[in-house]
Amino acid sequence: MAFDLASLTYTPDLRIVPPVQARLVCAMRYTHCARRVRDYSSASLARHLGTERAVHSFHVFMDEVGRSWPEPIVLNPPCQPAFSYDEMLLVDLTTAAARNDRQKFDGLVSDMVGESGRNAIWSSARRLMRILIRVVQ
């Protein structure tokens, strides 16, 4: 059997994932880039997320992740269609939260995030996804 490095290093493509997942990754990238050049706007973030109601919950989620993550979060540039590994993991976490699958959620990050951090990320992901699932199709 041949070893296929491409399949081992594959991450999803932004253009073919469900809209909610694409919006989350675009929102992460927008927020990072806009803050870096001091051009952040909550209205622009709301356009990326698809609703103004999700802006606060998005920030709370990202703050909880930032506090609990063992290293700085790595995001791909806005022009890159492939997800970074952190983007992929964050989308997987929010997907598990949307499905109320705590076991899957904990299984994804229990080796790198302690229980209190997982609890905080879980709660914030659940709030965020309750809003996004209703408005983003």
Side-chain angles (χ1 to χ4, degrees):
M1 177 158 81
F3 180 74
D4 183 12
L5 184 61
S7 67
L8 197 61
T9 60
Y10 171 81
T11 60
D13 187 306
L14 195 57
R15 298 166 293 192
I16 60 170
V17 297
V20 167
Q21 294 176 347
R23 285 185 176 278
L24 282 169
V25 172
C26 288
M28 289 177 217
R29 292 176 182 183
Y30 162 75
T31 301
H32 174 74
C33 291
R35 283 182 171 170
R36 198 165 188 197
V37 298
R38 299 176 190 250
D39 191 30
Y40 171 81
S41 156
S42 62
S44 293
L45 177 58
R47 280 191 297 278
H48 283 283
L49 291 170
T51 179
E52 288 180 17
R53 293 181 41 226
V55 169
H56 177 73
S57 295
F58 173 81
H59 283 299
V60 171
F61 171 71
M62 292 306 296
D63 286 345
E64 295 298 350
V65 169
R67 271 194 277 283
S68 301
W69 229 240
E71 297 177 0
I73 297 166
V74 175
L75 303 173
N76 277 346
C79 60
Q80 171 63 262
F83 284 26
S84 72
Y85 290 110
D86 283 344
E87 290 167 341
M88 183 173 66
L89 181 53
L90 291 171
V91 164
D92 288 345
L93 291 174
T94 56
T95 301
R99 294 178 178 154
N100 200 27
D101 189 347
R102 182 61 193 252
Q103 185 176 359
K104 170 79 171 182
F105 179 94
D106 284 339
L108 291 167
V109 290
S110 63
D111 61 332
M112 62 185 244
V113 176
E115 185 177 2
S116 64
R118 287 195 315 272
N119 289 338
I121 295 169
W122 169 259
S123 296
S124 62
R126 293 278 297 148
R127 279 191 299 272
L128 173 61
M129 295 311 286
R130 275 194 295 271
I131 295 167
L132 287 182
I133 295 300
R134 278 186 252 155
V135 277
V136 178
Q137 300 301 330

